[in-house]
Amino acid sequence: MTTRSSHYSTRNVVFVDGVRTPFGKAKPDGYYAHTRADDLAVKTLRELLRRYPELPPERIDDVAIAATTQQGDQGLTLGRTVALLAGLPQSVPGFAIDRMCAGAMTAVTTAAGSIGIGQQDIVAAGGVEHMGGHPMGFDADPNPRFLSEKIVAPDALNMGVTAENLHDRLPHLTKERADAYAVASQNKYAQALADGNISPDLVPVATRNPESGWGLATTDELARPGTTVEGIANLKTPFRPGGRVTAGNASPLTDGATMSLIAGEDTARELGLPIGMRLVSFAYAGVEPEIMGYGPVPSTQKALERAGLSIDDIGLFEINEAFAVQVLSFLDFFGIADDDPRVNQYGGAIAMGHPLASSGVRLMIQLARQFAANPQVRYGMTTMCIGLGMGGTVIWENPHHPDFAPSPSHPVGADA
């Protein structure tokens, strides 16, 4: 067993594996209208434990679970309650995280920090969002100083309006480009589903409807195969009359949960666990809340600088598609074509849904699968915008690349 030392030295941190529920529409007739949010998270954690019987449950040092609206069945210190409900030993602690849409991403990077200095070995990290039961911002009470002191603009707390603002700031990112990008996301997701690249990561969830009885959710509920640019061209613009953001080029309201296992590379090898990706660097950054979607640009700049890499070193991108214009602003800044094949190979949130705090791990799950299919790619990136004007980026290394060097196995704190 790995020993720990008070003389910290860093060690490599890896993404072992991750799973997610099928994503459901956040409506009264959606998959999970009568399912508790915490039960969705429990299902994902139990599935990871089932997949890796070589992992003794007592070796899990913590359970970190994010939710944006932490109330009701998304409250009560989710990490701890889910750990208990999933049957982990009572010795395993847990906690909850809120960084809005980047909640699960922050759960992973928080775990990575603890593991990297040797204070933990294995952490279960993920997120859940039942937007049907807990709409974003429901019952929130923003401080009146936000507006009275002009800290943020009156419309900065509405994510759809911030997407319209981004169109205003970058008028060359037209509605036509956003619609074309959205249709491509739908098509890529449909192809990935047909190719068997989505289903292996999904945990079937038993559901119950008081009227129709029991069911089983096995596929994402929100995709719109066959979407065309012409078909979404005249959809309503709910955030602004004559605007550019529609239901066709934005992510839908979604229910779902994700979970991952994050570990020290030495611990993963000790226990015979797979290594899906190695964490290289991560960063969070702030921007004007009014253009929230631009956040991934500065967070990516910081993460690249910390890694000693350039954008040209990144061979695969998983960019959360909160809104098409948000992705386009990122691609535009870094000189990447709208249809670059490195970007969101399996489609994105516009097609499959965006259950807020859980989406960060969904990006990681898909990148790990793409790494396995593309051993020639050494580095990949997961990135997303965050409410109130932030962005988050994590850079990963592909363990299947010829230049990937396994780290030496030695106790943390020992001489390298």
Side-chain angles (χ1 to χ4, degrees):
M1 181 174 179
T2 300
T3 59
R4 297 179 179 140
S5 168
S6 60
H7 302 291
Y8 302 146
S9 68
T10 58
R11 61 174 171 168
N12 287 332
V13 178
V14 299
F15 178 95
V16 172
D17 197 6
V19 297
R20 66 176 179 90
T21 67
F23 288 168
K25 58 184 178 181
K27 294 183 178 180
D29 62 342
Y31 279 161
Y32 308 124
H34 303 281
T35 302
R36 290 179 59 99
D38 48 12
D39 283 338
L40 292 177
V42 167
K43 187 69 176 178
T44 58
L45 181 53
R46 282 180 172 169
E47 174 63 15
L48 282 176
L49 295 172
R50 185 195 70 79
R51 290 189 180 191
Y52 299 104
E54 63 270 36
L55 170 60
E58 65 274 11
R59 288 293 300 273
I60 297 176
D61 289 305
D62 223 336
V63 178
I65 300 181
T68 300
T69 306
Q70 296 194 9
Q71 60 178 213
D73 55 342
Q74 288 187 177
L76 199 60
T77 313
L78 265 173
R80 174 60 170 171
T81 59
V82 168
L84 292 172
L85 291 167
L88 289 180
Q90 292 187 357
S91 59
V92 178
F95 63 104
I97 285 178
D98 175 15
R99 201 198 295 263
M100 292 194 173
C101 298
M105 176 180 282
T106 304
V108 167
T109 57
T110 299
S114 297
I115 293 168
I117 62 169
Q119 298 310 289
Q120 295 181 322
D121 290 329
I122 304 174
V123 175
V128 62
E129 207 76 53
H130 196 300
M131 298 183 75
H134 308 284
M136 186 176 186
F138 179 76
D139 224 16
D141 182 19
N143 195 299
R145 291 181 51 227
F146 275 156
L147 301 183
S148 65
E149 299 180 17
K150 298 183 178 179
I151 296 171
V152 299
D155 58 11
L157 301 180
N158 184 309
M159 299 301 103
V161 174
T162 67
E164 290 283 9
N165 292 342
L166 200 51
H167 273 293
D168 291 342
R169 296 282 186 97
L170 303 168
H172 59 287
L173 302 181
T174 63
K175 180 180 183 298
E176 290 71 25
R177 283 179 68 180
D179 285 353
Y181 179 87
V183 169
S185 179
Q186 296 282 355
N187 291 339
K188 287 189 287 186
Y189 172 78
Q191 188 63 55
L193 186 64
D195 292 342
N197 289 322
I198 302 295
S199 297
D201 301 320
L202 304 186
V203 183
V205 177
T207 62
R208 186 176 185 278
N209 185 299
E211 297 179 356
S212 58
W214 288 96
L216 188 67
T218 59
T219 59
D220 294 317
E221 189 177 21
L222 292 147
R224 299 182 292 274
T227 298
T228 64
V229 171
E230 295 76 19
I232 63 174
N234 297 313
L235 294 177
K236 294 180 180 179
T237 58
F239 305 109
R240 181 185 298 173
R244 291 139 298 191
V245 179
T246 72
N249 59 38
S251 59
L253 302 180
T254 313
D255 300 334
T258 62
M259 194 70 64
S260 66
L261 290 175
I262 308 300
E265 186 175 342
D266 52 345
T267 302
R269 295 187 186 282
E270 171 204 341
L271 295 175
L273 297 172
I275 293 173
M277 305 186 289
R278 177 189 286 163
L279 195 151
V280 177
S281 72
F282 66 87
Y284 298 92
V287 295
E288 296 170 65
E290 294 79 8
I291 53 167
M292 172 273 304
Y294 204 64
V297 169
S299 65
T300 294
Q301 290 175 305
K302 289 174 67 174
L304 288 169
E305 182 179 1
R306 291 173 178 175
L309 298 173
S310 75
I311 198 70
D312 295 332
D313 293 313
I314 306 302
L316 289 167
F317 295 83
E318 274 294 320
I319 307 171
N320 192 46
E321 297 172 353
F323 303 95
V325 67
Q326 170 255 312
V327 181
L328 293 176
S329 70
F330 178 93
L331 300 179
D332 188 66
F333 180 87
F334 288 106
I336 300 170
D338 295 3
D339 59 352
D340 191 301
R342 296 173 297 168
V343 176
N344 292 9
Q345 289 192 346
Y346 298 165
I350 289 173
M352 68 190 75
H354 173 29
L356 301 183
S358 68
S359 287
V361 164
R362 194 270 300 168
L363 301 174
M364 297 171 193
I365 292 169
Q366 293 191 186
L367 181 61
R369 184 166 294 279
Q370 291 164 26
F371 270 165
N374 295 275
Q376 77 283 3
V377 172
R378 184 168 186 180
Y379 298 109
M381 172 185 296
T382 56
T383 188
M384 62 199 314
C385 60
I386 310 166
L388 288 180
M390 294 181 284
T393 300
V394 189
I395 296 174
W396 303 90
E397 185 179 9
N398 187 354
H400 309 282
H401 190 273
D403 293 333
F404 182 87
S407 64
S409 178
H410 63 85
V412 171
D415 291 333

